[in-house]
Amino acid sequence: MSLDHAILDVVTPPVIADIERGRIKQFAVAIGERNPIYRDRDAAIAAGHPDVLAPPTFLFGLELENSPVFDDLAAHGVDLGTVLHGEQRFRYFADVHAGDRVQFDSAYVDAYSKAGGALDFLVRRTTVTRDGAVVAELESVSVIKNPGGTS
């Protein structure tokens, strides 16, 4: 069974998240980021930032943590054991710091198959705003291994 393209009609409610200093520090440590502007408020301020700076991939992790993508896939008949992370892209327009409140607006924008239907791809695009201004655009591609496809 290939991916149900009705998932492209799913409306994902906006997600609002407060960017917390401790979460940024925890994320920076987890990814091995040693630059103190991602962990220490004083270092960030000394570098010209209003507070600790969020590392570039922080928003992707925060969005995924708060998104219903896995529920959406399951609701459209996808066995979650067949889902792989394919790729992700980022475009940044402004820095995000501890103390910011951001909104994630996401939509499934494309679905297609390759390898004779053995692999389905689902593209999800997210616009991240702060006070109505776009700070980032995120795009991720999920790969679904389809046992019904032929290679």
Side-chain angles (χ1 to χ4, degrees):
M1 178 177 145
S2 65
L3 179 64
D4 179 2
H5 284 217
I7 197 167
L8 296 174
D9 297 326
V10 170
V11 175
T12 304
V15 172
I16 296 174
D18 293 317
I19 308 300
E20 300 170 350
R21 190 178 303 129
R23 290 291 307 271
I24 292 173
K25 179 179 178 179
Q26 179 184 40
F27 186 85
V29 169
I31 64 170
E33 178 56 68
R34 295 180 184 209
N35 189 328
I37 65 172
Y38 301 112
R39 296 181 284 121
D40 180 84
R41 184 174 186 266
D42 292 336
I45 290 171
H49 297 281
D51 207 316
V52 173
L53 179 65
T57 56
F58 178 81
L59 291 175
F60 177 76
L62 189 60
E63 190 268 338
L64 184 61
E65 178 183 304
N66 290 289
S67 82
V69 66
F70 296 114
D71 293 337
D72 292 343
L73 287 169
H76 285 81
V78 173
D79 173 0
L80 297 180
T82 65
V83 178
L84 302 169
H85 175 68
E87 64 182 78
Q88 60 194 43
R89 288 184 215 111
F90 311 94
R91 286 183 61 199
Y92 294 97
F93 305 99
D95 290 334
V96 174
H97 299 92
D100 287 347
R101 173 173 276 184
V102 296
Q103 179 170 314
F104 297 90
D105 291 290
S106 301
Y108 301 101
V109 297
D110 197 10
Y112 54 92
S113 297
K114 288 187 177 184
L119 299 172
D120 290 324
F121 295 79
L122 179 63
V123 181
R124 179 179 168 92
R125 192 167 296 139
T126 301
T127 301
V128 185
T129 57
R130 177 185 53 226
D131 299 325
V134 177
V135 295
E137 292 174 350
L138 318 175
E139 187 172 281
S140 64
V141 179
S142 296
V143 181
I144 300 124
K145 296 189 306 182
N146 185 2
T150 60
S151 358

